[in-house]
Amino acid sequence: MANITLGGNPTHTSGELPENGTQAPDFTLSRTDLQESTLEDFKGKKVVMNIFPSVDTGVCAASVRKFNEEASDLENTVVLCISRDLPFAQARFCGAEGLEQVQVLSDFKDGKFGKDYGLLIADGAFAGLHSRVVIVLDDNHKVIYSEQVPEIGQEPNYEAALRALA
């Protein structure tokens, strides 16, 4: 369980992030067309997972925009933006913003992704949503970088995450 804050107020996650060097847990998430997507769909590609509470908050939206901007320069890499938002909200946001370099995926059905990755917020005002996390996987889907942002309202360290891909 990670100790994080939301607006300075203590809150906790459901577990710990996968450790560097371990195989990333598989997942089944919903795309904006409501079809399922799994980690296997990205076989042979490096993966940046930008995980956050809701695309309808300022910092979450900023992280999607920033990773979209950076994604066009990444070789053999996919950027997944994952939240518990409904796929319709994710599609609306990306369409309105013209974001085409990232893929948005939703854990709205059962929250299993958040539980399996240890990042589901367990208590407080955002209980049931995902905490702000960046996880980077190599092309064999082993974890090579992870960051649990200590204050939910804080942006992740984009540069460190992208350096991990080198």
Side-chain angles (χ1 to χ4, degrees):
M1 179 180 302
N3 296 313
I4 58 175
T5 58
L6 172 60
N9 297 310
T11 190
H12 307 90
T13 63
S14 60
E16 300 294 329
L17 299 179
E19 293 185 24
N20 285 356
T22 63
Q23 196 67 36
D26 197 11
F27 57 74
T28 301
L29 296 167
S30 298
R31 299 187 316 235
T32 57
D33 64 3
L34 300 180
Q35 298 300 306
E36 292 184 342
S37 190
T38 67
L39 185 56
E40 183 68 17
D41 293 339
F42 308 104
K43 185 176 184 175
K45 292 193 175 284
K46 296 175 187 176
V47 177
V48 176
M49 290 189 276
N50 174 36
I51 307 154
F52 49 86
S54 175
V55 75
D56 285 323
T57 64
V59 176
C60 300
S63 72
V64 176
R65 287 183 200 107
K66 178 66 175 176
F67 277 116
N68 183 75
E69 177 185 314
E70 298 292 338
S72 61
D73 294 332
L74 303 176
E75 289 186 34
N76 195 40
T77 303
V78 62
V79 177
L80 306 178
C81 294
I82 303 168
S83 70
R84 295 208 64 194
D85 289 301
L86 290 175
F88 313 114
Q90 293 174 329
R92 172 188 42 78
F93 173 78
C94 288
E97 296 279 333
L99 305 178
E100 298 178 351
Q101 301 298 320
V102 297
Q103 294 185 38
V104 289
L105 297 172
S106 178
D107 190 22
F108 82 99
K109 288 185 179 178
D110 58 13
K112 186 172 179 344
F113 172 86
K115 294 171 194 162
D116 290 349
Y117 278 76
L119 52 85
L120 187 75
I121 299 173
D123 52 23
F126 279 14
L129 297 177
H130 293 157
S131 59
R132 187 174 318 287
V133 170
V134 176
I135 298 174
V136 180
L137 310 177
D138 68 12
D139 55 1
N140 293 310
H141 296 161
K142 288 196 176 181
V143 177
I144 57 173
Y145 175 86
S146 64
E147 176 190 11
Q148 170 76 66
V149 178
E151 164 58 47
I152 294 172
Q154 172 186 331
E155 290 186 63
N157 186 338
Y158 302 109
E159 293 78 22
L162 295 170
R163 271 195 313 269
L165 293 166

